[in-house]
Amino acid sequence: MQKILVFGNSGAGKSTLAKELCVKRGLAHLDLDLLAWLPTTPPSRKPLVDSQKEISKFMESNEAWVIEGCYSDLLEMALPESDEVIFMNLPIDACIANAKSRPWEPHKYATKKEQDANLAMLLDWIARYPERTDTFSLAAHRDLYNRYAGKKSMFTNNERSA
């Protein structure tokens, strides 16, 4: 059974790759964006213990899966159960281009207009990936990747096969 973690910057293609893997390999999919946040304005993170419960429930309910997101703290919770990690380490300009061409994500935004209203903030956040020191940063993702002792891959462009 395959248990894969996919991580990287916003706009790197994590969701696209995860969906491809799920279709081609019959895996269950968990997008960490769906369980990381409280439904507040402005958004704030759920307590880690609450997210941990949801991640554990997902892993217990599925024999084979892909978990994807930019949250190294949440990915860390699934790391012991995974048998592969994929680091989507695309250049910043590629992530920005991908974010600009992203279709409406109805599971994240009520309308395309609401999603587009958030785009400037998202592009700035993507651009600061190499300099940030938070759980969403290049440093945190590189550390997660380097510490992982199992099968691992790093993609540095969008040309890949699932």
Side-chain angles (χ1 to χ4, degrees):
M1 292 295 142
Q2 293 184 307
K3 298 177 180 180
I4 304 169
L5 299 179
V6 179
F7 56 92
N9 196 3
S10 185
K14 300 177 302 294
S15 296
T16 300
L17 177 61
K19 290 172 188 171
E20 289 172 8
L21 290 168
C22 290
V23 168
K24 289 181 180 179
R25 301 181 187 180
L27 308 174
H29 178 220
L30 178 61
D31 178 346
L32 293 176
D33 283 340
L34 302 179
L35 60 80
W37 300 96
L38 293 169
T40 59
T41 305
S44 60
R45 289 283 304 271
K46 276 185 185 176
L48 289 179
V49 66
D50 293 348
S51 295
Q52 170 70 64
K53 288 176 187 173
E54 293 181 57
I55 293 167
S56 294
K57 182 178 178 183
F58 173 80
M59 291 189 301
E60 290 167 8
S61 300
N62 298 283
E63 291 183 7
W65 44 255
V66 175
I67 297 176
E68 54 100 355
C70 59
Y71 312 86
S72 60
D73 53 357
L74 300 181
L75 292 159
E76 191 77 48
M77 297 172 184
L79 202 61
E81 300 299 320
S82 69
D83 52 33
E84 181 177 357
V85 301
I86 301 172
F87 181 9
M88 303 295 294
N89 192 14
L90 274 67
I92 298 300
D93 59 343
C95 294
I96 287 173
N98 289 344
K100 285 180 177 179
S101 65
R102 181 178 286 172
W104 175 41
E105 299 174 298
H107 61 289
K108 296 180 186 177
Y109 297 96
T111 65
K112 175 76 164 105
K113 184 177 179 179
E114 182 182 321
Q115 179 174 311
D116 290 345
N118 194 45
L119 186 59
M121 183 280 303
L122 178 62
L123 297 179
D124 178 64
W125 193 74
I126 291 170
R128 291 185 293 113
Y129 180 63
E131 64 199 46
R132 290 194 320 262
T133 57
D134 56 22
T135 188
F136 315 104
S137 68
L138 173 60
H141 294 156
R142 187 177 284 139
D143 180 62
L144 190 71
Y145 182 81
N146 288 339
R147 286 187 293 110
Y148 189 72
K151 180 181 178 186
K152 56 187 173 182
S153 305
M154 182 185 301
F155 295 118
T156 56
N157 61 54
N158 284 320
E159 297 173 18
R160 64 193 186 290
S161 63

